[in-house]
Amino acid sequence: MFQSLVLYTQELTKLKRFYMNVLQLDITNFTAEKFTVTIGSSSITFKLFDEPAFYHFAINIPGNQFSQMKYWITEKIKLNRDRGRDEIYFPNFDADSMYFYDAGGNIVELIGRRNRDMFGDLTSAAFLNVSEIGIVTPYVAEIGEQLQDLGIPLNGSTEVNPHGINFLGRDDAFIVLVPPERQWFFSDKKAQVFPLEIVLTNGQHLQLDHEGKLHVKNEENS
């Protein structure tokens, strides 16, 4: 579902070094104002921002390499913990997850989909694609309706919960729609509104502004 994301940060250089040297992912288009990190079939561009900003996003990895990835990650960085746990199984998605902060304070989740296997040594190819991006907005109900009208279904329901967490998408890719001040899972941070951009694989371009309102246009006209 996700072709690319644009996120904002005050810590551009630290983030570039983190994704290049710690996670060992490919970095392109690096300038004083931005860089792009390739994540399998998708990408995230971080742009310099004049205010602190952080996001929650997730990356799909093969389920059969979850333990290998966890061992590799914990040699480099500390995993986030919740009630003594540093991983969790989600039966609704048949997936295991681990969480950590990157160098910009973003809450990164690695999701091991148990229906996805990759054999051989662990490499950067195990970062399959962007799986989730959190949209934080005071207009949860309105944006939930917008997304459903774009053909992005609400997981398990058609009624958006304006006060809770909503997953919109299918298969292994979801927009996580939440109101401000909701605490992010496996994190000590509460959700805040920050601008972002999403380009979907069908060419739709979604843009969240500083107020948390969503603007939609086709990629060819963006």
Side-chain angles (χ1 to χ4, degrees), residues 1-2 56 132-148 152-155 159-169 174-180 182 184 191 193 196 198 206 208 212-214:
M1 183 166 80
F2 300 113
H56 165 62
E132 295 175 0
I133 178 63
I135 287 184
V136 184
T137 175
Y139 309 105
V140 169
E142 176 185 323
I143 290 179
E145 297 299 325
Q146 278 184 274
L147 295 173
Q148 289 184 84
I152 304 173
L154 179 64
N155 187 58
E159 291 291 328
V160 175
N161 179 355
H163 307 295
I165 188 167
N166 301 272
F167 290 86
L168 293 107
F174 294 90
I175 290 170
V176 183
L177 184 63
V178 299
R182 190 184 192 282
W184 285 117
V193 179
L196 58 81
I198 303 169
L206 314 180
L208 190 77
K213 294 183 178 180
L214 189 70

Side-chain angles (χ1 to χ4, degrees), residues 2-222:
F2 300 113
Q3 178 178 313
S4 62
L5 305 178
V6 174
L7 308 179
Y8 294 85
T9 182
Q10 280 189 321
E11 305 291 350
L12 197 69
T13 299
K14 288 182 180 179
L15 273 176
K16 188 205 64 153
R17 291 171 180 165
F18 179 86
Y19 285 96
M20 181 172 65
N21 298 332
V22 178
L23 296 191
Q24 299 176 21
L25 296 171
D26 290 336
I27 302 298
T28 59
N29 304 321
F30 178 62
T31 70
E33 302 293 325
K34 66 179 182 179
F35 73 89
T36 299
V37 54
T38 300
I39 301 173
S41 60
S42 52
S43 67
I44 300 177
T45 295
F46 290 98
K47 290 187 175 180
L48 192 62
F49 199 47
D50 57 3
E51 301 173 13
F54 68 89
Y55 304 85
H56 165 62
F57 59 88
I59 300 169
N60 281 320
I61 63 173
N64 70 322
Q65 292 194 338
F66 184 86
S67 295
Q68 289 173 271
M69 180 68 80
K70 184 179 177 182
Y71 179 81
W72 184 79
I73 286 285
T74 53
E75 287 188 316
K76 302 168 180 293
I77 53 180
K78 183 179 180 180
L79 292 178
N80 295 2
R81 302 184 73 88
D82 178 79
R83 288 172 287 185
R85 304 168 297 175
D86 62 5
E87 64 177 79
I88 187 170
Y89 173 66
F90 293 107
N92 289 346
F93 298 104
D94 194 25
D96 301 276
S97 288
M98 63 184 110
Y99 300 75
F100 57 87
Y101 293 120
D102 68 12
N106 298 299
I107 306 152
V108 184
E109 178 183 1
L110 299 184
I111 303 180
R113 304 284 179 179
R114 293 192 179 186
N115 63 350
R116 297 286 297 272
D117 289 339
M118 181 176 289
F119 299 99
D121 295 335
L122 184 70
T123 68
S124 61
F127 294 90
L128 299 172
N129 58 287
V130 172
S131 171
E132 295 175 0
I133 178 63
I135 287 184
V136 184
T137 175
Y139 309 105
V140 169
E142 176 185 323
I143 290 179
E145 297 299 325
Q146 278 184 274
L147 295 173
Q148 289 184 84
D149 288 342
L150 290 173
I152 304 173
L154 179 64
N155 187 58
S157 178
T158 56
E159 291 291 328
V160 175
N161 179 355
H163 307 295
I165 188 167
N166 301 272
F167 290 86
L168 293 107
R170 56 171 60 88
D171 300 327
D172 65 357
F174 294 90
I175 290 170
V176 183
L177 184 63
V178 299
E181 298 303 313
R182 190 184 192 282
Q183 187 160 336
W184 285 117
F185 204 35
F186 273 76
S187 166
D188 59 3
K189 295 188 175 187
K190 292 186 177 181
Q192 297 181 40
V193 179
F194 299 111
L196 58 81
E197 298 175 39
I198 303 169
V199 178
L200 303 177
T201 51
N202 65 5
Q204 288 171 331
H205 188 161
L206 314 180
Q207 196 166 25
L208 190 77
D209 65 22
H210 291 75
E211 297 179 356
K213 294 183 178 180
L214 189 70
H215 309 274
V216 182
K217 51 189 174 180
N218 291 325
E219 172 68 359
E220 59 267 19
N221 298 322
S222 61

